[in-house]
Amino acid sequence: MSDLFSVPPRGPAAPGGGDTGNNAPAMTVSEISGSIKRTLESRFDHVRVRGEISGLKRAASGHIYLSLKDDQAVINSICWRGSASKLSVQPQDGMEVICTGRVSSYPGRSNYQLIIESMELAGQGALLKLLEERRQALAAEGLFATERKKVLPLLPEVIGVVTSPTGAVIRDILHRLRDRFPRRVLVWPVLVQGDGAAEQVAAAIRGFNAMPADGVVPRPDLLIVARGGGSLEDLWAFNEEVVVRAAADSRIPLISAVGHETDTTLIDFASDRRAPTPTAAAEMAVPVRSELIAEVQDLGRRLYGAAQRLGSERRMQLDALSRGLPDLQRIVEEKTQRLDERAERLTNGMQVWLRQRGNLLAELNARLPHPRQQIRFAEQQLEPLSERLQRAGPQVISLQHQKMDQVDAERRLKSALELRVERAAQDLSALDRVLQSVSYKNVLRRGFSVVRGQDGGVLKADEISAGDMLSIEFADDRSVAARAQGGEADHGLPQQEPEQPVKVAARKAARPKKDDSGQTSLF
């Protein structure tokens, strides 16, 4: 672009720093930016750029912002909302595409950008790569799992067909169904190629599933999604994610018949059955009526023959078993005779048993003593026991009275001891309070001290002589040793000389002072 603008050579600079050699008018930033924008748009008003999409962003306004890059350069691109809704492919990061549009600039950031008007994939290889990546992603979600496949009905009453109403596909399907087994067919017309085809196919599948089972228009028992052959780009609508998810979510069994036998689309993996052609899909949907009738007739003949053979075999088995059975009348006569014999033996045996029990009872009656004899014998044994009880009764009662008196004495003694201990504790507490009130320790707590001699006796001021060893007791039970000197006492350990004199008061000692280190002084 160096030939678009030319700048005249500059002359020698003026002494004041101004440029007097160039009298061209100075341009504003907006003017030169607008000139660059017009130059770019007039020079590159229609270009086709091939590159990889990077940094894709969809704004809330509907515009698409992206960058196209190769191994050496990057160009910012934008697709306005009106053009974005008409794109034949949905842009994604990493997708290699060919974009058609014009080059313009954005003065606000001093950069140039490509205004995209249309977009297409860069070659069949890119399509196959995108197809494989999408297939792997959907397979990872489990949309192609075998356990999701549903069984096709043997003879559906209503068949729903999703295809173009003007193509040869629907005529082939109807013709094939009419030849094999006429069924009611509902056609949902859709676009099978171009913009909006994928959304229409997905909406048709969901629409058939949303129909009520008992509505005016019956819900199909089987769905067929069909399209004729074509290139990979022509069949791309059946590779879109929205179509694959609609087929996987269908509650009605679905047969996919897209393209020819060698064509494979993602809907084939999500459907319950894949047909190589639309005609083959019609053959999968219904059986041949004549063959079905022949098969049913053949099954009927086989069933009738099997029933005949089974009846003959059972009749022969019954005859063989009946010949092996004994005469029923003879069996009954033998059982009757045995019953009469058992009845006669039972009667005789009962009479013999009664006689034996009578003899045993008479023998026991002869051996048993008379009740009066038993009573007299018991009275004789009871008399000595009664006499012993009468003699021992007063003794037992007296002994029990003594035990009760002992128990009552123990209880009273225990109560008296507890009361005595409680009173003694109260007296001891009262004495302790009196002792505390008269104790000299209370006096020491008010700041006084006690001076004792070497024998431990308490000394008065007039009983202390110079050179006497003294022991001074304070309120915290500590004592210090001191030596009296001229009416004053030196304190310290007995083995050391006193450092400072201490005046010994007759009643009250000096209060301890604290040194700089915080330790209470004894002087």
Side-chain angles (χ1 to χ4, degrees), residues 54-67:
S54 174
L56 178 69
K57 292 190 300 183
R58 297 180 183 270
S61 59
H63 308 321
I64 299 177
Y65 297 90
L66 55 92
S67 297

Side-chain angles (χ1 to χ4, degrees), residues 159-179 183-190 192 208 222-229 257-259 277-283:
I159 299 175
V161 180
V162 179
T163 187
S164 173
T166 59
V169 172
I170 186 61
R171 293 194 297 271
D172 293 342
I173 293 176
L174 295 176
H175 177 72
R176 198 60 175 166
L177 291 176
R178 191 182 307 111
D179 290 345
R183 296 282 88 185
R184 185 175 180 180
V185 177
L186 298 178
V187 180
W188 195 299
V190 296
V192 294
F208 274 131
L222 180 67
L223 295 182
I224 298 176
V225 179
R227 188 205 186 282
V258 179
T277 60
T279 303
E283 294 176 355

Side-chain angles (χ1 to χ4, degrees), residues 390-456:
Q390 291 177 359
R391 290 193 301 270
Q395 298 177 359
V396 172
I397 293 173
S398 177
L399 181 61
Q400 295 299 325
H401 281 301
Q402 294 176 3
K403 289 183 178 179
M404 292 177 64
D405 293 340
Q406 292 177 0
V407 170
D408 185 62
E410 290 178 358
R411 180 182 58 79
R412 289 184 295 169
L413 178 59
K414 182 178 180 181
S415 177
L417 286 175
E418 292 177 352
L419 181 61
R420 183 66 178 273
V421 170
E422 182 179 358
R423 289 178 179 176
Q426 294 176 358
D427 294 342
L428 182 60
S429 299
L431 292 175
D432 181 68
R433 288 193 297 271
V434 173
L435 178 61
Q436 293 294 332
S437 64
V438 300
S439 175
Y440 75 97
K441 296 287 188 180
N442 295 329
V443 180
L444 294 181
R445 294 190 186 96
R446 295 198 296 272
F448 293 90
S449 61
V450 177
V451 180
R452 300 180 186 273
Q454 292 183 353
D455 57 355

